[in-house]
Amino acid sequence: MKVSLNWLKRFVDFDLTATELAEKLTMRGFESEVVSDFDSLEHLVVGEVLKADKHPNADKLKLCSVLDGSGTYNVICGASNVDAGQKIVFAKVGAVLPGDFKIGKAKIRGIESFGMICSEKELGISEEHDGIMVLDESFKVGTPIREVLGPLFNAIDVEVTPDKAFGLSHRGIAREVAAIVGTKLKTPINSVKLNPQSKNIIKVELDKRGGCTRYIAGTMKGVKVGPSPKWLTEYLKSVGQKSINNLVDISNFMLLEIGHPTHIFDLKKFAKPAIKVSWAKNGEKFKALDEETYELSKDHLIITDTKNTVGLAGIMGGLDSSVTDATTEVLIESAYFDPVVIRKGSKKLNLLSEASRRFERGTDPNSAVEAFNMIVQLIQEVAQGTLESVITDECSMSLDNTYIDLSSEKLLKYAGQDIPSEEVESLLNGLQIDTKKTKTGWNCSIPTFRTDLIVETDLIEEVFRCYGYENIKSSFNYSSIMQYANDEESTISSLKHHLSSIGFRQSYNNSLEDFEEVKLFGKDAVSVINPSSEKMNAMRTTLHTGLLKNLDFNYRNGCSNTLIYEYGTIFEGKSDKLEDISQKSSLSCLVHGDIFVKNVHFNSIPASFAFLKGVAANIFEEKRLGFKVKFLEKKHHYCHPYFSIIDGKKQILGGIGIIKDSLLKQLDISHKHEVVVLDVDTEIFTDYGTYSTKVEDIVVFPIVQRDLNFKMDSSIRVGDVVKTMKSVNQSLLQNVTPVDIYQSEKDKSFKDVLFSLSFQSSKKTLEDNDVNLIITDIITIISKKFNAKLRDN
Amino acid sequence: MSLNKTIKGLKTSFSKELSKSKTSQELENFRIKYLGRNGKLASLFEEFNKLPANEKPRFGKELNILKNQLTNLYQDALGNNNENSSSNDTDFSLPGYSLPNGSIHPLEQITSEIKSIFQSIGFSVAYGPEIDDDYHNFEALNVPKHHPARDMQDTFFVNPNAVLRTHTSNVQIHLMENQDPPLRHICCGRVFRNEAVSYKSFCLFNQVEGLVVNETSSFAEMKGTLEYFVREMFGKDTKMRFRPSYFPFTEPSAEVDIWNSKLDQWMEILGCGMVNPNVLSNVGYDNKKYQGFAFGMGIERIAMIKYGIKDIRLFYQNDKRFLEQF
């Protein structure tokens, strides 16, 4: 909310610059920024335009001669409204305007310009930048601008948090300022006394079901709609608001003055001069002041003249009953509406207004009277209206202060240090909270405008923020010995580091994906009912989506070699029931291209299926679980081939596969080699993390190596041969590794496969004979089973 | 006796000739001449065999020493020769090769750093669901259905009662529902906000939150804890301030700013406060007995400050040219 220092001074005397005030308010929980602090602006003076001629080299520019009291300067100006004789704001060379805009000498279309004639926007006063700001003729040339505009336009922007409803007005902020400088609030409002000339009664009827618990109404006649007086427009201007006409301006002024929304109806548009607050019917249409038609529901509280709806309570008045230039008779509303009702109603229509913003945060029912009285008085003063009715005040709520006990023990326990009693009292009293000493602390009387103070901790917060957070001494009691601390995912963390250490880069991808794309991955996707874009309306069901996009992105940017992985949550299930949605951590790797590119030392090494298969075996076997993982071929929706990775207990640890070209095409993923993905079931992997290594005795007897070279049909899978060889002898044959596969160019129906077999006994040094017996068996079995032929080496 | 002399003579000629042998060919010829199967040393051993038995032990010892000496001298010469000449065989100016470099994502690095700072003072790390019900994300945290504070966090809905969590605070509720005080935890993970994607905001970000509940933890302790964190994270001399703010789940609430001397301004890095008693009673804790504090921060924001990153979207684009800088 934009707050004018000048306006604040209607309520409280203080001697702080805008910068100082912003700093002080910020440190009390009202985060503030300076909008304009004329006190800090140097080299800005009242100037007089002596001449304004067309720039010889530019049609839209003017070459002006500006007097600053002591000298005359050439200034180029682009504004169309600049004219000789005007008093203007002259920023001389060396001036720094808001937004760190430095004014220097400049050459514009061949002519030197010494400074600038400012617009309101450049000075931070308003958004007006179509023309320059023209000052009152009475100002003396050469006077520093801070003396001329400072008193009017020094302003700050205050961010009012949702709890502090009382801060949404100049009086509210002034209360805080009074507490800061330790003074009392001036009361320019309460003195108003109304003297109705008529005995007319406006009947007000409230709905028994609630929603509105106070409604003050009265009518005025003889109103003349017209321009506002200068003082009123200047106040509005000081917070960046434009003047519209006297009635609208009065309404706006009051809102910013004391924060209580009011409404002025054109009484002549009423079916009869009465008010009935009730609930809308489902489907009821309402045309609001913003000229939009809204469809209401039974949750909307409405204001009617007993026949027609004239306003959407607390949110916006109706267009048909609004004041126009022709209005002469008005009905003034000042009411208290239930915050939840207003909030619900405005949310449902997505219709927010300055009024609803205040009502939904909670208003002061006592301010309703003040606002009403002031509106009437202002209309009398500014628009010549006279009160035409008795004031009706239908009220069914308490208007008294509430009381909260504050315990000094609790305050101490919360702060962790003592705050002296006198200090506590004076801080609270400064906020207009009266304190009465009790045995355990204080009984505090809460004024009705502090709708945010309900329980004891609310008061503790008030004490702390006024005492100053910086004055509460910090304490640090952790012992130097590391206390028990754990991380459920520390095993995963070591896996990530392992992958990164062998060349993988970790990705972080968006969890929100395009539903149409997610569908291609063949699982039920959880969708978002209010997405910010159609490209992000479903939760990812696999990490592959993101990784493929990373491949595509980097490929298009000239990097085709990709080794990446991501760890994150994937989602699956039907959206309508939370219990049916599965949310699971997952880890996937994707490789494409080369691990090593060709260089002087060796040829390129591809990031192939075999590579990722090795990575997979490695990350599980590295855990020393005493088994080798197995790869079982499975059908997969978008991979071919695809293998499940299983452990000794047939538990699925993950899977590995090559993404089908059809999917890559549908997603338009750029690539030139096979795209291989690996998934790791992180839950099982985490369980493995708890497995503790058991060391086996080192076998001291030597390993005997033998090579066997078989010629076999090309269609035979080498893995099957290895498996069969291993099955021949499980005690001495430790390992079988295919070392070389050769196929002649001429005849591709056969291949030669060279196997390296290693034998070792844990009991003795193996003799040739021990090994030869097994070798003979192997040759027999393999020759027979695979129709293979042993070749001589 | 003559053998004695022969040993000395052999030693002298060996050293002389060895010093003249430079190339690998010369050295090989030298080796054959002296240490080869039919070399000078071998013939010495042959002579030794002819000695009478009583002289054998003495000469045997000497011959063995000689053999070791000569072999060592030759090996040294050979080694030296290699050091000098091998540059002729291998081009050491060629670029080296090593295993490819991978990297840990910058957001992960920052998260790990934060985790370990808090783990060092006894905080455990917890995780929780990213899609949660309205109750755990809002109501239990003292944000009723029709409260203006809901506007502070634009929310994605999966159904009218389930949201993409807007903060990791839902994990606090799950934690407290499942265990009794004392608690000292941090929760990490993704949170979602329905905001327009731009250089400064994304539809999701990562958060780390902390929660301490026991019978004594005070505002002073919260300040001490977070001052420790800021010093560890941003450096010992970091200027910081606590200023009052508002969060529905804490009271009193504060925001922590650190001073950025480059930009000459305060930068907000985290929110914190004393756990609102309503939150404690919502999970069934006795809020007269227990109290505590909570804090939360956005990882992206801290990473952007620390690494000087200007566009938040870079974190989720996974451009190799970006990732390889970490």
Side-chain angles (χ1 to χ4, degrees), chain A residues 528-548:
Chain A
V528 172
I529 53 181
N530 60 332
S532 55
S533 120
E534 290 307 308
K535 293 256 168 254
M536 299 192 292
N537 54 0
M539 303 302 285
R540 59 182 177 187
T541 58
T542 165
L543 300 174
H544 299 165
T545 338
L547 294 175
L548 285 169

Side-chain angles (χ1 to χ4, degrees), chain A residues 194-214:
Chain A
L194 297 179
N195 192 12
Q197 302 293 310
S198 150
K199 291 262 176 342
N200 285 342
I201 292 175
I202 305 296
K203 205 179 151 228
V204 173
E205 193 186 331
L206 303 184
D207 195 289
K208 285 188 189 66
R209 287 169 291 174
C212 174
T213 42
R214 186 173 203 187

Side-chain angles (χ1 to χ4, degrees), chain A residues 702-716:
Chain A
I703 294 172
V704 178
Q705 293 278 5
R706 289 293 173 84
D707 287 352
L708 290 176
N709 195 351
F710 282 102
K711 180 180 181 176
M712 61 184 83
D713 197 281
S714 280
S715 63
I716 290 170

Side-chain angles (χ1 to χ4, degrees), chain A residues 698-704 731-734 758-767 770-771:
Chain A
I698 293 168
V699 178
V700 293
F701 301 105
I703 294 172
V704 178
S731 60
L732 300 181
L733 178 55
Q734 301 299 336
S758 48
F759 298 87
Q760 191 184 31
S761 160
S762 57
K763 296 189 188 80
K764 61 166 197 166
T765 300
L766 290 177
E767 304 287 332
D770 302 327
V771 175

Side-chain angles (χ1 to χ4, degrees), chain A residues 131-242:
Chain A
I132 54 151
M133 183 177 191
V134 182
L135 298 175
D136 200 285
E137 274 174 35
S138 62
F139 292 132
K140 202 169 154 262
V141 172
T143 316
I145 282 299
R146 83 174 70 91
E147 290 170 25
V148 175
L149 295 181
L152 287 175
F153 294 112
N154 280 332
I156 57 174
D157 193 25
V158 183
E159 197 189 315
V160 180
T161 53
D163 58 325
K164 293 191 179 63
F166 73 94
L168 288 171
S169 70
H170 280 86
R171 184 168 68 172
I173 298 297
R175 285 189 171 120
E176 204 59 31
V177 178
I180 290 169
V181 299
T183 176
K184 279 218 154 59
L185 211 63
K186 297 188 276 185
T187 47
I189 293 166
N190 293 344
S191 51
V192 179
K193 277 254 153 51
L194 297 179
N195 192 12
Q197 302 293 310
S198 150
K199 291 262 176 342
N200 285 342
I201 292 175
I202 305 296
K203 205 179 151 228
V204 173
E205 193 186 331
L206 303 184
D207 195 289
K208 285 188 189 66
R209 287 169 291 174
C212 174
T213 42
R214 186 173 203 187
Y215 198 105
I216 304 165
T219 57
M220 297 183 82
K221 67 168 190 184
V223 175
K224 284 206 173 72
V225 178
S228 292
K230 192 177 164 209
W231 69 267
L232 187 52
T233 55
E234 263 180 4
Y235 271 118
L236 290 174
K237 193 167 185 182
S238 71
V239 293
Q241 290 208 358
K242 268 192 183 150

